[in-house]
Amino acid sequence: MVNCDCLHNGSWNFTDLVEQNLTAAGVDLVNLPVPLGGEDYKVWKPDYKGSFSVRSEKQLIRRRYPNLEGTNLLWRDSVHPSLAARNWKLLRGACATLDNVKSRFKYQVINKCYLCNSEEESLEHILWSCTYASKAWLWISDVFGILPHQNVTTVYKMAKGKSRMIKDLWFLAILMICSKLWMSHNGFIYNNHKVSWHFFQKKVFNQIHDYSCRLKGYMFNCQDDLQVLSYFRVRHRKVKINDRKECFWVPPRHNELMLCYDGVARRNLGRAGAGVVVRDENANVLGAMSVGFGIQTNYLAELLCIIVGLEWAIKFGVADICIRTYSMVAVLVYSGNITSIPWILRSRWVAVKARCNDIRFVHSYREADFAADNMAKRVCLLEDGVGLSYDNRLDFIISIELPNVTYFRFD
C-alpha cells in the first residue's frame, strides 16, 4: 500500500525530509513509476496477478526441502511406477545396508557383501563396485556403446546425440540393473537365493523387453539403433524425419522501430537477464542492450525484458514499435487485458504504452533472434548483472561484442 500523503492529484508529492531520505537511499526521483490513478486496492504480493489464492498461501507456509537431483527423470510415463519407486529409494539412500545398520543401531555386525563376499557392504559397493555390478555395467556398456555413471542426471546426458528411443531405453536399462542388483541382494539375505550371473542377466534382459512397451519415442534409421533394438527384441518405432524450417524476419514498417527481445534465466529460479537489439526500417542496427535482473523466474524475465527494452528504446524518438520475440507467453500477456500483467509491472507498462502510438507484437523462432539470445545468455554470466548498452548513433560501446548480424535473412 502506498502512503496517500505522498500522492496528490495523481502525482508524487514528497516533503523535503522524504526527498532527502530517498536521495540518500539511492532512489532516482526523476524516474519514479507513474501512478496509475483511480481507487486504491489491495495487492497479494506472492501472486503475480495480486489476487489471493490458497495455493500461494500454501507456498509461503509450507516447509521446503531441497530437490533431490534426478527425481524428475524417474517419475515419467516411460518408467514403470514400481521401477521408479525402487530407484527413488536407492537415490535417497533409504536402504538397509550393513554399514547403515551398524551406524544407526550401533550393532556390531560383520560387514561383508553378500554378493561377492569379499569387501565391506555399502550401497555404492552393491550398485557399482561389486563383482556382479561390474559385470552388469560392462555388459550394458558393450550393448549401447555408452559408459555408465553413478549420477542419474549424468547417465542420462551420456546418451546425448542418440535418438529419443535409445535414450529412454538406455535409461531404462540403467534403472533396471540398479533395481535387480538390490533385489538380488535382498533375495540372498531373506530367501537364501543364490546369485547366478546368467540368471541375473536373463532377468534384466526380460524386464527391459517387457517395460520397453512404455517407450513412445522415435528412432533413427541407422545401424546403431537397429542393432540395439534388435538385441533386446524391441519392436521398431517410427523414424522421425526432421522438417527443416527457414527462420527469418522481415524489416519493420516505414517509420517503425523493431525491437528483438530475448529473456533468459539460469534455471527456473536463478540469475536472469535480457538482450535487446533495436533496428530501423532498413534493418540497420541502431543500438543494443543487455541487462541483468538478478534472481528471477523465466516467466518474469520474459516480461521484464519487454518493459525495460521499451523504456530504453523510447529515446530513439520513434512512436511506432514492433516487438519481435520468441516467447508466446509474453505476446499473449501484453496483448490481452491489463489484469493478466503482473501487478509489479502494470504501472510501468501503462506509462511506456502512453508514450507510444502503436506497439505491435510478432512471434518468431529463437534462431531468428540469435543476437539478442546470445546477449541475454552472456549477461547472466556476469557476477554483478549490470546493464550494458551500445548506441550506433553516438558511436560508443560499453557491452559484449555483438554477433555478426549479416547472417540474418530478410524477405
Side-chain angles (χ1 to χ4, degrees):
M1 298 295 292
V2 179
N3 189 350
C4 59
D5 295 336
C6 298
L7 288 173
H8 180 68
N9 294 330
S11 61
W12 296 107
N13 183 22
F14 300 114
T15 62
D16 295 338
L17 180 60
V18 173
E19 287 186 0
Q20 293 177 6
N21 293 335
L22 293 177
T23 304
V27 178
D28 186 4
L29 300 179
V30 179
N31 296 320
L32 288 175
V34 179
L36 289 176
E39 297 181 357
D40 293 340
Y41 58 93
K42 295 182 178 180
V43 172
W44 177 251
K45 289 185 177 181
D47 185 73
Y48 285 147
K49 295 183 179 180
S51 303
F52 173 80
S53 63
V54 178
R55 179 179 180 181
S56 61
E57 175 65 18
K58 178 184 175 182
Q59 295 298 324
L60 286 179
I61 63 176
R62 75 181 182 92
R63 185 178 178 183
R64 296 179 180 271
Y65 293 91
N67 293 330
L68 190 62
E69 184 180 5
T71 54
N72 59 328
L73 296 173
L74 294 179
W75 305 105
R76 301 188 301 170
D77 294 337
S78 59
V79 182
H80 195 276
S82 62
L83 181 62
R86 288 194 294 267
N87 280 270
W88 180 68
K89 294 180 180 179
L90 297 176
L91 197 63
R92 293 179 59 243
C95 303
T97 55
L98 292 179
D99 60 335
N100 289 337
V101 172
K102 184 177 180 180
S103 61
R104 182 172 181 177
F105 300 102
K106 310 302 179 183
Y107 288 162
Q108 297 299 325
V109 294
I110 299 176
N111 189 356
K112 184 172 289 188
C113 178
Y114 288 99
L115 296 180
C116 64
N117 200 27
S118 59
E119 298 184 17
E120 292 186 355
E121 180 182 287
S122 65
L123 186 60
E124 188 277 335
H125 171 76
I126 295 174
L127 299 183
W128 300 97
S129 304
C130 185
T131 304
Y132 287 91
S134 300
K135 288 183 179 180
W137 298 128
L138 183 61
W139 163 56
I140 208 67
S141 177
D142 291 339
V143 174
F144 286 91
I146 307 173
L147 296 177
H149 196 275
Q150 297 185 20
N151 186 277
V152 177
T153 306
T154 305
V155 77
Y156 187 76
K157 292 181 179 179
M158 295 293 289
K160 184 178 180 180
K162 303 290 185 178
S163 63
R164 176 60 59 184
M165 183 64 188
I166 297 300
K167 283 184 178 180
D168 292 341
L169 191 63
W170 160 253
F171 190 66
L172 173 63
I174 296 297
L175 299 182
M176 185 57 63
I177 290 178
C178 291
S179 175
K180 286 300 178 183
L181 284 172
W182 178 247
M183 294 179 67
S184 299
H185 165 270
N186 293 342
F188 183 85
I189 296 176
Y190 301 109
N191 300 322
N192 199 23
H193 291 166
K194 295 184 178 180
V195 182
S196 171
W197 162 246
H198 297 287
F199 180 76
F200 175 86
Q201 185 183 25
K202 185 176 180 181
K203 288 286 290 184
V204 172
F205 180 90
N206 292 335
Q207 288 292 324
I208 293 176
H209 171 73
D210 294 340
Y211 285 173
S212 64
C213 63
R214 302 178 65 91
L215 307 182
K216 305 299 181 182
Y218 289 88
M219 58 172 284
F220 292 160
N221 191 17
C222 61
Q223 186 65 28
D224 294 338
D225 285 23
L226 296 174
Q227 184 176 355
V228 172
L229 296 181
S230 300
Y231 179 84
F232 290 104
R233 294 180 301 184
V234 176
R235 183 175 60 86
H236 293 181
R237 301 301 201 270
K238 295 181 179 180
V239 178
K240 186 175 183 179
I241 301 176
N242 294 325
D243 184 16
R244 296 184 179 182
K245 296 183 179 180
E246 186 179 16
C247 299
F248 63 91
W249 51 264
V250 296
R253 301 169 182 171
H254 181 64
N255 291 331
E256 188 181 47
L257 205 65
M258 174 179 285
L259 275 66
C260 297
Y261 286 93
D262 186 36
V264 298
R266 298 291 179 179
R267 299 181 179 179
N268 193 23
L269 184 60
R271 190 181 298 276
V276 185
V277 180
V278 183
R279 292 181 173 85
D280 60 9
E281 60 185 39
N282 297 319
N284 297 320
V285 177
L286 299 181
M289 178 186 67
S290 57
V291 58
F293 298 140
I295 306 300
Q296 298 291 347
T297 61
N298 286 324
Y299 174 73
L300 204 57
E302 296 289 351
L303 301 182
L304 268 172
C305 70
I306 293 181
I307 293 290
V308 174
L310 283 173
E311 293 173 346
W312 172 68
I314 289 177
K315 70 174 185 177
F316 291 96
V318 179
D320 295 337
I321 297 179
C322 171
I323 296 178
R324 183 173 292 274
T325 177
Y326 79 93
S327 176
M328 181 58 72
V329 174
V331 174
L332 295 177
V333 168
Y334 286 113
S335 300
N337 195 289
I338 192 173
T339 57
S340 62
I341 301 175
W343 64 270
I344 55 177
L345 300 178
R346 289 176 190 172
S347 59
R348 299 175 65 177
W349 169 251
V350 171
V352 74
K353 191 176 181 181
R355 302 178 63 180
C356 301
N357 292 338
D358 180 54
I359 299 179
R360 182 169 61 96
F361 288 91
V362 179
H363 179 263
S364 63
Y365 291 106
R366 183 193 296 267
E367 290 77 6
D369 292 332
F370 64 88
D373 177 67
N374 188 34
M375 294 180 64
K377 290 180 179 178
R378 293 179 65 177
V379 78
C380 288
L381 301 177
L382 299 178
E383 295 183 359
D384 51 3
V386 296
L388 308 172
S389 63
Y390 159 79
D391 197 323
N392 190 32
R393 300 177 304 172
L394 302 179
D395 194 22
F396 76 92
I397 180 170
I398 313 175
S399 176
I400 56 179
E401 184 180 354
L402 285 174
N404 192 345
V405 296
T406 57
Y407 290 111
F408 281 98
R409 177 171 180 173
F410 308 122
D411 279 9

